Amino acid sequence: EDAAEESNVSAELIAHRKRLVDEWNAWRAKCRKELGEERQDPKGRGGEQEEQKEEIAIE
Amino acid sequence: AMSGLRFGHERSLTQIKFNKEGDLLFSCSKDLIINVWFTDNGERLGTYDGHNGTVWTIDIDGDSKLLVSGSADNTMKLWQVSTGKCLYTWEFPTAVKRVAFSPDSTQIVCITEQRMGYQAAIRIFDINREGDGTQQSEEPVSMFNPIGSKPTVCTFGITPNVILTGHESGKVALFDAKTGEETLNNERAHMDVVTDLQLSPDRTYFVTSSKDKTARLHDTRTLRVLKTYQTETPLNSAAIAPGKPYVLLGGGQDAMSVTTTSSRQGKFETRFWHKIFEEELGRVKGHFGPINTLAVHPSGKCYTSGGEDGFVRVHHFDESYFKAKPYGDLEIED
């Protein structure tokens, strides 16, 4: 009986965590979409730039 | 679970930053010196020597050419990363408490302290990247004095001309860089001083730490609090781990562990929290005084902590750390 109760609790916890992750992932997808739209719109040009790598020489 | 490197300064660390590639680690301290180290072996590559007071803050530009620093000697300095040469010095009436480059490295924002009849000020400078870097403008392109609580931390927001700040009162705010107008705030983001503010790689969210013993995750556009990490100790720093759903928190120690932990082992711990579930996952010991500053490698492969004890520690996460999924197979977006 105890074991059954425990597995109920953990099922609840797992469902709760899944909800938190779904909520987070949905928000991240929305952020990415907004960022993408801003970058296509020249007026809303963001500061993020393309990867720019340069070697630096250290004396 | 982790291997560590330890090296150091003569006095307490104030800020540590990785460059964009993560091969270099920059640290500043109350010993007046800024150091640059190789991330992989902790070997010191060089120093940036010239400040006459505590160096409170540093930042590195996007291509690791320029370093900016702010000091208690009332100056902000621009340095050539590769040679250690000071390219330009700006002088102010009070200490410089925080500096940050814009995402495209063409501007710097800084906070100067309120003191002796001078209000706290936020200034934004255009950085001339042509030539040898010594031709900089003495005057800021804009300057404003935030009304109300003093700013303690600042950086650039997502869109141009937006400055993101944390304040002594616990407030976080957005300012229009041109007009100085406070365009949005959350007065109750924290109940005490905001001690650190670090952005996610795409700048859409950020983490703050506070003396109120919590760290919080916020939406950069709306300043809505997304997550809260409640600890038992005043926090000095918080960092987001790229590629893993973790935030790292550093500060003092629990009142309880003062008496129960041996003082021989560094008992001041970096705390790992699950970013989404708001649960503490573990701690890594290693400092003999409060942790003042934390930074995570841009690839997420290691992190560094700087302590009141003068030590810089680099911890390389081992394979088991990367494989561990303590919460099952849920795929979490970065």
Side-chain angles (χ1 to χ4, degrees):
Chain A
E1 206 175 290
D2 280 355
E5 202 166 295
E6 202 171 278
S7 77
N8 269 341
V9 169
S10 65
E12 247 172 63
L13 192 59
I14 288 164
H16 174 63
R17 284 175 178 157
K18 178 144 189 340
R19 272 197 304 279
L20 291 176
V21 169
D22 288 346
E23 184 186 279
W24 174 263
N25 288 349
W27 180 69
R28 293 308 295 149
K30 182 171 158 270
C31 288
R32 290 217 179 82
K33 189 164 168 276
E34 283 174 357
L35 271 183
E37 282 164 4
E38 273 172 13
R39 283 181 192 148
Q40 278 169 15
D41 170 13
K43 276 183 299 186
R45 192 165 54 91
E48 296 292 318
Q49 61 282 269
E50 291 307 306
E51 196 81 356
Q52 234 184 357
K53 284 196 180 180
E54 276 186 55
E55 293 296 317
I56 59 162
I58 310 289
E59 309 281 328
Chain B
M2 289 171 215
S3 58
L5 278 170
R6 190 173 76 181
F7 39 97
H9 279 260
E10 287 179 17
R11 294 190 57 198
S12 26
L13 273 292
T14 49
Q15 199 169 18
I16 306 185
K17 288 268 178 87
F18 284 100
N19 65 340
K20 193 175 165 191
E21 285 72 30
D23 56 330
L24 303 176
L25 181 59
F26 296 78
S27 61
C28 58
S29 142
K30 291 188 177 173
D31 67 10
L32 323 187
I33 306 289
I34 302 159
N35 283 315
V36 55
W37 318 83
F38 284 114
T39 303
D40 285 344
N41 60 14
E43 199 177 300
R44 190 164 70 178
L45 185 58
T47 61
Y48 304 87
D49 194 354
H51 278 299
N52 295 311
T54 292
V55 185
W56 289 119
T57 173
I58 45 171
D59 199 19
I60 306 98
D61 76 351
D63 50 12
S64 304
K65 281 187 173 163
L66 301 175
L67 170 73
V68 61
S69 59
S71 165
D73 67 8
N74 300 355
T75 70
M76 180 168 84
K77 285 177 180 286
L78 190 70
W79 309 85
Q80 188 168 45
V81 167
S82 59
T83 62
K85 183 186 165 197
C86 179
L87 300 172
Y88 196 84
T89 301
W90 290 269
E91 289 180 26
F92 304 108
T94 61
V96 181
K97 296 308 291 275
R98 193 80 167 191
V99 295
F101 272 106
S102 62
D104 63 2
S105 306
T106 61
Q107 290 191 317
I108 289 171
V109 61
C110 72
I111 293 175
T112 53
E113 206 175 22
Q114 175 181 317
R115 191 175 273 188
M116 297 175 298
Y118 292 98
Q119 283 180 274
I122 292 178
R123 291 175 180 81
I124 295 141
F125 292 89
D126 277 341
I127 298 303
N128 176 12
R129 303 183 61 87
E130 303 296 318
D132 62 3
T134 60
Q135 303 303 306
Q136 302 300 332
S137 146
E138 190 183 337
E139 294 301 318
V141 284
S142 88
M143 173 184 161
F144 54 93
N145 304 104
I147 304 159
S149 180
K150 295 184 278 185
T152 49
V153 290
C154 66
T155 189
F156 288 84
I158 306 175
T159 45
N161 299 311
V162 176
I163 302 298
L164 171 62
T165 56
H167 295 254
E168 200 175 56
S169 64
K171 172 173 84 172
V172 297
L174 294 174
F175 287 87
D176 182 315
K178 290 193 167 156
T179 65
E181 186 198 350
E182 188 180 274
T183 52
L184 191 65
N185 72 44
N186 180 356
E187 294 279 358
R188 301 172 63 81
H190 285 285
M191 305 302 281
D192 203 339
V193 184
V194 179
T195 50
D196 196 10
L197 186 162
Q198 297 193 25
L199 288 156
S200 67
D202 69 1
R203 295 185 173 252
T204 54
Y205 64 100
F206 63 96
V207 67
T208 52
S209 59
S210 170
K211 293 289 182 195
D212 73 1
K213 305 182 181 180
T214 69
R216 285 187 151 149
L217 209 67
H218 317 252
D219 182 333
T220 311
R221 289 177 201 278
T222 64
L223 301 184
R224 182 171 67 100
V225 172
L226 302 166
K227 301 288 173 183
T228 298
Y229 316 104
Q230 177 71 56
T231 74
E232 316 79 27
T233 181
L235 296 175
N236 297 326
S237 190
I240 295 165
K244 282 279 166 186
Y246 303 149
V247 292
L248 281 62
L249 315 181
Q253 61 180 335
D254 298 352
M256 215 165 59
S257 66
V258 173
T259 50
T260 55
T261 318
S262 153
S263 61
R264 273 200 208 161
Q265 55 186 140
K267 59 194 171 184
F268 290 83
E269 300 161 316
T270 300
R271 298 137 191 270
F272 284 71
W273 280 67
H274 196 285
K275 186 168 74 181
I276 314 302
F277 303 144
E278 302 168 301
E279 292 169 22
E280 188 176 311
L281 300 173
R283 298 183 184 188
V284 176
K285 286 187 173 50
H287 282 283
F288 298 91
I291 291 167
N292 291 338
T293 175
L294 289 168
V296 183
H297 189 277
S299 78
K301 72 171 185 178
C302 63
Y303 76 93
T304 177
S305 52
E308 189 65 22
D309 59 7
F311 287 118
V312 177
R313 297 199 67 115
V314 176
H315 297 272
H316 285 262
F317 301 125
D318 67 16
E319 280 302 304
S320 66
Y321 171 87
F322 289 107
K323 283 177 187 154
K325 281 194 179 177
Y327 296 97
D329 285 329
L330 297 169
E331 287 302 324
I332 300 173
E333 299 289 324
D334 213 9

